[in-house]
Amino acid sequence: MSEVYSKAETLALRRKHIGPSCKVFFAKDPLKIVRAQGQYMFDENGEKYLDCINNVAHVGHSHPDVIKAAVKQMELLNTNSRFLHDNLVQYAKRLTDTMPEKLCVCYFVNSGSEANDLALRLARHFSGHQDVITLDNAYHGHVTSLIDISPYKFNQLGKESKKEFVHVAPSPDTYRGKYREDHLDPAGAYAGEVKKIIEETQKNGRKIAAFIAESMQSCGGQVIPPAGYFQQVAEYVHEAGGVFIADEVQVGFGRVGKHFWAFQLQGEDFVPDIVTMGKPIGNGHPMSCVVTTREIAEVFGASGLEYFNTFGGNPVSCAIGLAVLDVIEKEDLQGNATRVGNYLIELLNEQKRKHPLVGDIRGVGLFVGVDLVKDEQKRTPATAEALHLVYKLKERHILLSADGPHRNILKFKPPMSFTREDAKFVVDQIDALLTEMEEATGNKISTNMQCKRKTNEENLQSDCLGESINHVNGNACRQENGFYADNHVVPCKRIRT
């Protein structure tokens, strides 16, 4: 591949012209990627990296069918949706055919953030209320309205940054949360927390417009809500006059394998009022959508305020969206997600039995989290160990990320073309690295792996937790143990993937 600039020149120009808050992966030695194919990415030297984190290139990087559909339509026409065009209505029909019957009206936009912002507008117009219930550690987008309802973001700015109209419910995490796997009814208990918030809010004279949640929390730590949780929450929210928004931006389009949408894991008796989507919808092309009920759409339309989006639903975007749906079906990518995902979880559970650092394996299809712990009983987050693994895997040409409130969760959300061989390769490398770490510490978890430990053992956390209140300036934590002979500097700023 011919390059306009060398890697050093590209980095220098980025530092000069790109905002400093726009972070890169692997800040000490960032990758310069010049092309990608399937589940692989290639740097300027032709080195191949296995991509385990890219839930944007859903059907695989540079898929020929998607490219062909885009080029074919671009040669004919691209314009806004105020003109009639078959691609728009054809795609809307195909998309809503994958959903429960009452979810039948589409609004096309250009990003997950736009979709969630519009979902809030729909909910507030329909309910006539303002307040929003969100989950702890949630992230829903980068625009102001969504930072306001994303604890993953606003918590780093201090308690005073939470707006009065925002209410935070506990994440329904049965491994680390308030109600765990030994609770008789964790779904009911977590839903009860939402009910308490609604009651307290109403006592204070406020009214709930919406409850919003990712169908499975990604940035929050690959959290899969217990079955029945959403049904009970929806009941409480509806009684309060609000609506239920399911954010499928990271987890939709067959990633869970057994269903096309992750909210369907809760059961056939649960149907959200609004569903948002983005990322995989266009396989990297900027496209997203809000799908809602006829009733909500008509109330929004009756407001007298016309909704128009210049690029949303344009012919090229819809041609690409149709091609993505075709590939998912033609290549049985839902089936692949189930088969390969089950195999990956099986391999990772073997590592859990073998390595004390592996505290929990959770996931469905090709959405899997590995919760690393320093103490199996206390479930103390192994933050620095997770970051160490991520950097070492990069050296072995595997791209993986760590996230969650403690940044100790290894996140698997690869392109849907991921194979059993890919899964085996990654897990074998993780096994080897965990073995090295255990041998270096005499089969004990090193207490030197953390950056400036807090002294209270019950609240033990690394001060290099991503985007914590103490690190909004992004100071790096330098690791000072035998695992870091190459002097990795692990940035404390967390990059959402």
Side-chain angles (χ1 to χ4, degrees):
M1 294 292 293
S2 61
E3 295 180 82
V4 176
Y5 305 111
S6 68
K7 179 177 176 178
E9 289 170 330
T10 300
L11 188 56
L13 285 168
R14 182 181 176 106
R15 288 169 176 162
K16 181 178 180 180
H17 295 296
I18 306 301
S21 59
C22 300
K23 303 298 181 181
V24 295
F25 288 122
F26 311 108
K28 181 176 181 289
D29 183 25
L31 289 172
K32 183 176 183 181
I33 298 297
V34 298
R35 69 181 182 93
Q37 187 73 44
Q39 61 271 41
Y40 299 102
M41 305 181 81
F42 299 83
D43 69 13
E44 76 280 11
N45 299 314
E47 296 290 335
K48 182 171 74 172
Y49 292 82
L50 177 60
D51 183 359
C52 301
I53 60 176
N54 205 309
N55 60 340
V56 178
H58 190 63
V59 299
H61 292 280
S62 306
H63 196 287
D65 290 6
V66 178
I67 294 169
K68 186 184 300 182
V71 171
K72 182 179 179 180
Q73 183 57 52
M74 288 176 73
E75 290 176 339
L76 291 174
L77 170 71
N78 198 26
T79 186
N80 66 56
S81 56
R82 291 193 186 218
F83 295 98
L84 291 178
H85 199 279
D86 287 349
N87 285 6
L88 176 66
V89 293
Q90 184 183 6
Y91 185 70
K93 182 181 184 303
R94 284 277 302 276
L95 185 65
T96 54
D97 282 347
T98 68
M99 293 192 160
E101 186 176 359
K102 80 169 192 175
L103 293 168
C104 60
V105 180
C106 299
Y107 295 86
F108 289 102
V109 287
N110 307 290
S111 70
S113 290
E114 273 194 74
N116 282 329
D117 179 73
L118 177 56
L120 289 181
R121 287 181 60 190
L122 289 168
R124 285 169 170 157
H125 271 285
F126 180 74
S127 66
H129 305 158
Q130 173 74 7
D131 289 27
V132 177
I133 301 175
T134 187
L135 293 178
D136 199 13
N137 309 314
Y139 177 80
H140 293 289
H142 62 78
V143 300
T144 300
S145 66
L146 303 177
I147 295 296
D148 285 346
I149 63 166
S150 297
Y152 180 90
K153 285 293 186 181
F154 69 65
N155 277 342
Q156 65 182 291
L157 301 175
K159 291 183 179 179
E160 68 283 356
S161 64
K162 187 176 83 65
K163 299 295 192 294
E164 187 180 11
F165 59 82
V166 176
H167 312 280
V168 181
S171 171
D173 183 348
T174 57
Y175 182 71
R176 291 195 169 279
K178 185 175 183 179
Y179 307 108
R180 299 189 173 183
E181 69 275 6
D182 56 353
H183 193 281
L184 292 177
D185 180 19
Y190 279 116
E193 295 289 327
V194 175
K195 184 179 182 181
K196 290 177 189 175
I197 288 173
I198 293 173
E199 292 171 346
E200 186 65 27
T201 301
Q202 292 172 333
K203 286 180 184 177
N204 293 329
R206 305 191 67 91
K207 296 181 179 180
I208 300 298
F211 172 91
I212 185 171
E214 289 181 277
S215 299
M216 301 187 297
Q217 279 191 287
S218 181
C219 294
Q222 308 295 86
V223 175
I224 302 172
Y229 170 67
F230 281 171
Q231 286 92 327
Q232 294 179 66
V233 168
E235 180 181 343
Y236 299 142
V237 171
H238 289 156
E239 288 174 356
V243 302
F244 192 111
I245 302 171
D247 179 341
E248 293 267 341
V249 171
Q250 297 210 51
V251 296
F253 290 89
R255 178 163 292 279
V256 300
K258 62 183 73 176
H259 300 289
F260 203 80
W261 303 104
F263 71 77
Q264 293 170 317
L265 292 168
Q266 291 281 309
E268 293 184 3
D269 59 334
F270 171 68
V271 181
D273 302 294
I274 301 173
V275 179
T276 62
M277 60 200 73
K279 290 186 185 294
I281 189 173
N283 210 53
H285 179 80
M287 178 185 184
S288 62
C289 187
V290 179
V291 181
T292 190
T293 65
R294 176 71 55 192
E295 183 183 11
I296 291 174
E298 288 180 350
V299 171
F300 188 59
S303 68
L305 185 66
E306 177 189 2
Y307 180 78
F308 172 63
N309 189 300
T310 302
F311 298 107
N314 70 75
V316 171
S317 292
C318 290
I320 289 170
L322 286 165
V324 170
L325 293 179
D326 287 341
V327 173
I328 291 172
E329 183 177 341
K330 181 176 71 174
E331 299 183 4
D332 188 25
L333 293 183
Q334 271 188 259
N336 188 66
T338 295
R339 293 185 294 272
V340 177
N342 288 345
Y343 181 60
L344 173 62
I345 291 170
E346 177 186 326
L347 293 175
L348 289 168
N349 275 317
E350 291 176 5
Q351 302 309 307
K352 179 181 175 181
R353 291 187 288 270
K354 183 176 179 181
H355 299 288
L357 264 171
V358 181
D360 189 43
I361 306 297
R362 50 186 177 265
V364 182
L366 287 175
F367 181 86
V368 179
V370 181
D371 195 316
L372 299 183
V373 298
K374 292 175 64 65
D375 185 296
E376 292 177 275
Q377 297 302 315
K378 295 179 180 179
R379 302 183 180 182
T380 311
T383 300
E385 291 86 346
L387 297 182
H388 173 75
L389 274 175
V390 167
Y391 270 81
K392 286 297 184 182
L393 287 168
K394 180 242 188 183
E395 292 176 4
R396 299 182 181 208
H397 290 198
I398 297 169
L399 304 181
L400 198 63
S401 64
D403 214 333
H406 307 289
R407 207 179 178 189
N408 68 306
I409 315 295
L410 302 180
K411 297 172 65 173
F412 284 87
K413 44 187 182 60
M416 297 276 278
S417 51
F418 204 69
T419 67
R420 287 172 60 94
E421 291 74 23
D422 296 328
K424 181 70 163 58
F425 174 62
V426 176
V427 176
D428 282 349
Q429 296 305 309
I430 291 174
D431 182 19
L433 288 169
L434 289 174
T435 300
E436 287 179 10
M437 294 164 71
E438 290 165 358
E439 289 175 350
T441 58
N443 291 322
K444 296 179 180 179
I445 313 294
S446 171
T447 57
N448 295 322
M449 288 286 288
Q450 301 290 321
C451 304
K452 299 181 180 179
R453 285 241 178 250
K454 297 185 189 299
T455 56
N456 186 343
E457 184 68 15
E458 293 301 317
N459 295 312
L460 196 59
Q461 292 183 355
S462 166
D463 278 346
C464 62
L465 298 181
E467 293 189 337
S468 70
I469 185 174
N470 296 322
H471 288 277
V472 292
N473 293 323
N475 296 323
C477 299
R478 183 175 296 277
Q479 310 301 330
E480 301 291 353
N481 58 73
F483 299 149
Y484 291 81
D486 51 358
N487 294 319
H488 281 310
V489 178
V490 180
C492 293
K493 274 286 185 184
R494 174 167 47 200
I495 303 172
R496 182 191 186 233
T497 57

